[in-house]
Amino acid sequence: MRMKSEDYKAKSIHIFALPFKFKSAQEKASFQYQTMVERLIVLGWQNASLSLSDVDDYAVDQYMSGQAKQIFWEKSKGDQYLPCSVLQYGESEKQPLFFHMEKDDFKASLLISGLEIHIYQDGYGILFIKTLNFLDDIDRIRPINHYGRRFLLPFIPATPAGYSLAADKIGIEDLRGKLKGTITNYKLDIEKYLRSDNEERILIGKNFSSIPYFLFYLLNHGTVQEQWVINQTDIEDISDERMFLFCLVRNDAMSGKVKYNCDSSFRNELYKLIFADTDDATCQDDDMRDRLLKEAIYPRWRKWGTIQAVTNTGMFCITSTYAGINDSVIKPFVTEYLYMYSLVLAQHMGIMLFSERAGDIGKHIIGKIKTREHRELVSLQKEYVVFKNQMLILDFTYQEQGSELYELIQKQMRIDEEEAILDEQLESLYEITNVSNDISLQTIAAVLAIFAIAVDVILNVFISGKEFTWCEIAQISLVTLIVTAVAIVTAIKHLGEK
């Protein structure tokens, strides 16, 4: 995602990442990748193909490894689409948009500085919403991260005034404060829910368990063309009730403390910021909090007042307001590291979807493996091999710091563990297939053996010593061939029944 001039003036940059999957990707791999990309372009999104004439794109080109470029940038000869299509929000709508949220006395309207969709060929995508905060206040930055990323209620409180982790209101506004799409008002929904009967609760409850309309407004580029719009029958979210978070904080006080201050009080403040808490740390055990911080923080530039951090749901950079680091710290984080984060998110989503498909195949296997299930498993294996070779790349970059961060992001998202679990899941399905095939082959062997014995008995007992005309020999041969064909067809059907 390219930088804009106002991005460097912000005290914090908050990029909210909504991962989603296309429902058609679950239906026998019927996801039409090119069709969906073209559909988004019709809606107003534009191809964000990188250009070496742009300084940001030039830096990304120099930063990426060859394997990474083949995912986002370089096309093979004859290829029309890359494994990932990067689309940016068209510039046709000049009026700025704001990401608005309210919780009790807290309000924030953040300028949306950039919007991108990364569509991956395996049936999932990520919507990136880059927002800017211009107020230098850590107590403001924390609730922006906490409430801005929570787009669904994780649970419904017992009363409208009950405990809730989500904002009361969240949505998209234009410069005049006019709502774009449907804004979510959690308190109002809760009140309706609690005073409704069961049938009405089911309808209202849908607001708590799907992608909210203001995100569909962004995906659809504000269009109302019914034949092209993306709706809730097309996609569903992959995360829980939260978007992933990609945040850069420019605060001289925090940057100074990062250099020297490591006491318990500061570690508590650091934890609340990195783990997107609000007033208090969600981890109240000092030892556990310190361990989680140590696992999350990448401290290479700590003495220069800059650290990066990665959790299982977000990536952070804490640095100073010094303009001299714009090119060395700020730009790389928002441009190069965002591509890196997108790729690891895609690895996580891809493994998840392959696991779901393997599970769907496995739960329908009862007794012998049917031809359809065997073909689905073979197709799944082929696609998974392509995915592993194309997406699970060893190096996103050959730069030392970037390579270390890439490894940290994968570790925090448990990519290696998830891959090992999926490999084991698929191996179990292969074992079932092999056992079923062994049994079927043994059955075939038994059928053919019995047939061979029968033919031998006929030839040696009933026909032996008799003379036959050529016509009779031809008839016997024809009958033998027909019986053999029937035996083979029966065996093949037994090997894989429809």
Side-chain angles (χ1 to χ4, degrees):
M1 188 175 289
R2 292 173 180 169
M3 292 289 289
K4 297 180 180 178
S5 58
E6 61 263 29
D7 295 352
Y8 295 106
K9 302 173 185 177
K11 299 304 179 182
S12 59
I13 299 175
H14 309 257
I15 302 178
F16 301 98
L18 175 71
F20 57 88
K21 63 182 177 183
F22 295 94
K23 291 183 178 179
S24 58
Q26 294 175 276
E27 301 169 1
K28 301 178 183 178
S30 62
F31 170 62
Q32 299 298 316
Y33 173 51
Q34 296 183 15
T35 300
M36 183 53 67
V37 173
E38 292 167 0
R39 185 174 172 184
L40 286 163
I41 291 173
V42 169
L43 288 172
W45 291 87
Q46 300 174 354
N47 279 313
S49 55
L50 303 182
S51 170
L52 294 180
S53 62
D54 182 270
V55 293
D56 290 356
D57 291 353
Y58 175 83
V60 173
D61 177 67
Q62 295 298 307
Y63 189 78
M64 283 186 180
S65 68
Q67 286 182 300
K69 290 179 186 178
Q70 289 175 7
I71 296 173
F72 294 102
W73 199 330
E74 293 181 351
K75 295 180 181 179
S76 301
K77 188 175 181 180
D79 289 349
Q80 185 178 1
Y81 284 86
L82 296 165
C84 176
S85 290
V86 179
L87 305 174
Q88 61 187 10
Y89 208 72
E91 297 296 329
S92 59
E93 187 171 351
K94 299 297 183 181
Q95 189 177 25
L97 296 176
F98 296 85
F99 190 32
H100 179 81
M101 64 194 75
E102 297 181 17
K103 177 67 174 180
D104 298 329
D105 297 330
F106 172 78
K107 291 184 180 181
S109 287
L110 309 177
L111 175 66
I112 296 179
S113 175
L115 290 162
E116 274 190 7
I117 297 180
H118 294 186
I119 303 295
Y120 287 88
Q121 64 183 4
D122 291 301
Y124 45 84
I126 309 169
L127 170 66
F128 291 99
I129 309 168
K130 181 172 68 172
T131 66
L132 307 180
N133 164 55
F134 296 97
L135 300 180
D136 191 6
D137 184 357
I138 297 296
D139 289 336
R140 173 181 172 83
I141 293 172
R142 286 200 309 271
I144 287 174
N145 285 334
H146 178 84
Y147 297 121
R149 66 177 180 157
R150 292 186 178 275
F151 61 91
L152 296 176
L153 282 173
F155 61 88
I156 298 174
T159 65
Y163 176 74
S164 174
L165 295 172
D168 297 333
K169 289 184 179 181
I170 186 170
I172 306 299
E173 291 184 345
D174 62 15
L175 193 60
R176 297 167 296 176
K178 183 178 179 181
L179 303 182
K180 296 287 188 176
T182 301
I183 199 165
T184 303
N185 185 324
Y186 290 111
K187 282 189 175 180
L188 180 60
D189 284 344
I190 291 169
E191 290 172 356
K192 288 182 179 178
Y193 186 88
L194 293 175
R195 66 169 181 257
S196 301
D197 59 27
N198 289 337
E199 185 174 346
E200 291 176 326
R201 284 187 180 185
I202 292 174
L203 296 175
I204 297 172
K206 290 181 179 180
N207 295 329
F208 305 139
S209 59
S210 59
I211 297 175
Y213 289 114
F214 70 84
L215 292 175
F216 275 101
Y217 172 82
L218 295 178
L219 284 170
N220 286 297
H221 206 278
T223 186
V224 292
Q225 300 178 51
E226 292 298 331
Q227 68 271 31
W228 288 108
V229 293
I230 297 172
N231 53 53
Q232 293 187 14
T233 62
D234 293 315
I235 67 173
E236 59 183 300
D237 68 281
I238 297 180
S239 58
D240 46 20
E241 79 282 0
R242 298 168 293 182
M243 290 186 276
F244 284 83
L245 178 63
F246 195 84
C247 180
L248 182 141
V249 176
R250 305 190 73 169
N251 183 279
D252 290 331
M254 287 292 290
S255 177
K257 291 180 179 180
V258 162
K259 293 181 183 179
Y260 309 110
N261 194 331
C262 295
D263 61 24
S264 178
S265 175
F266 176 65
R267 290 198 298 273
N268 187 58
E269 291 299 309
L270 196 58
Y271 180 93
K272 290 194 295 184
L273 183 60
I274 291 173
F275 285 84
D277 292 330
T278 51
D279 297 330
D280 207 352
T282 51
C283 180
Q284 288 294 301
D285 181 84
D286 292 344
D287 293 337
M288 183 177 181
R289 183 194 62 203
D290 290 345
R291 176 177 59 80
L292 291 173
L293 269 178
K294 186 176 180 179
E295 292 173 352
I297 290 176
Y298 179 68
R300 176 181 280 269
W301 302 285
R302 185 175 66 84
K303 288 298 184 181
W304 290 352
T306 295
I307 60 170
Q308 271 98 20
V310 182
T311 70
N312 64 326
T313 58
M315 185 170 180
F316 276 77
C317 177
I318 299 172
T319 190
S320 69
T321 60
Y322 174 53
I325 63 172
N326 283 353
D327 287 337
S328 60
V329 176
I330 309 303
K331 183 187 291 184
F333 187 80
V334 176
T335 56
E336 298 155 14
Y337 293 172
L338 186 67
Y339 278 99
M340 183 190 299
Y341 194 73
S342 173
L343 176 58
V344 180
L345 262 180
Q347 292 169 353
H348 169 70
M349 291 187 290
I351 293 172
M352 183 187 303
L353 288 185
F354 277 109
S355 180
E356 286 181 1
R357 287 176 58 190
D360 288 339
I361 295 173
K363 71 183 181 183
H364 290 110
I365 294 177
I366 302 175
K368 294 175 296 182
I369 302 293
K370 296 182 179 179
T371 301
R372 176 179 54 81
E373 293 161 351
H374 186 268
R375 288 175 179 170
E376 288 178 359
L377 185 57
V378 171
S379 176
L380 179 65
Q381 169 65 4
K382 289 180 180 178
E383 293 176 44
Y384 181 51
V385 169
V386 173
F387 170 81
K388 291 184 72 169
N389 285 279
Q390 206 168 52
M391 300 293 291
L392 297 177
I393 61 177
L394 293 177
D395 295 296
F396 181 87
T397 178
Y398 300 125
Q399 185 195 64
E400 187 176 25
Q401 300 96 315
S403 181
E404 292 166 352
L405 271 171
Y406 179 60
E407 183 179 345
L408 178 59
I409 300 171
Q410 286 188 315
K411 179 181 178 182
Q412 291 293 73
M413 288 197 182
R414 301 173 60 237
I415 299 300
D416 289 344
E417 296 176 41
E418 291 177 345
E419 181 187 359
I421 292 171
L422 177 55
D423 287 341
E424 185 176 338
Q425 184 181 12
L426 291 174
E427 184 62 32
S428 298
L429 287 177
Y430 303 147
E431 288 178 2
I432 295 174
T433 303
N434 291 335
V435 169
S436 179
N437 286 343
D438 287 344
I439 294 172
S440 296
L441 288 173
Q442 290 172 12
T443 304
I444 292 172
V447 170
L448 294 178
I450 293 171
F451 174 74
I453 293 171
V455 171
D456 183 67
V457 170
I458 292 171
L459 292 175
N460 288 283
V461 176
F462 297 100
I463 302 179
S464 179
K466 294 183 180 180
E467 293 184 1
F468 295 93
T469 65
W470 285 107
C471 182
E472 291 173 330
I473 292 174
Q475 290 175 349
I476 293 172
S477 299
L478 180 61
V479 170
T480 302
L481 286 173
I482 292 173
V483 173
T484 302
V486 170
I488 292 173
V489 170
T490 303
I492 292 174
K493 288 183 66 178
H494 183 80
L495 180 63
E497 292 181 309
K498 297 292 184 181

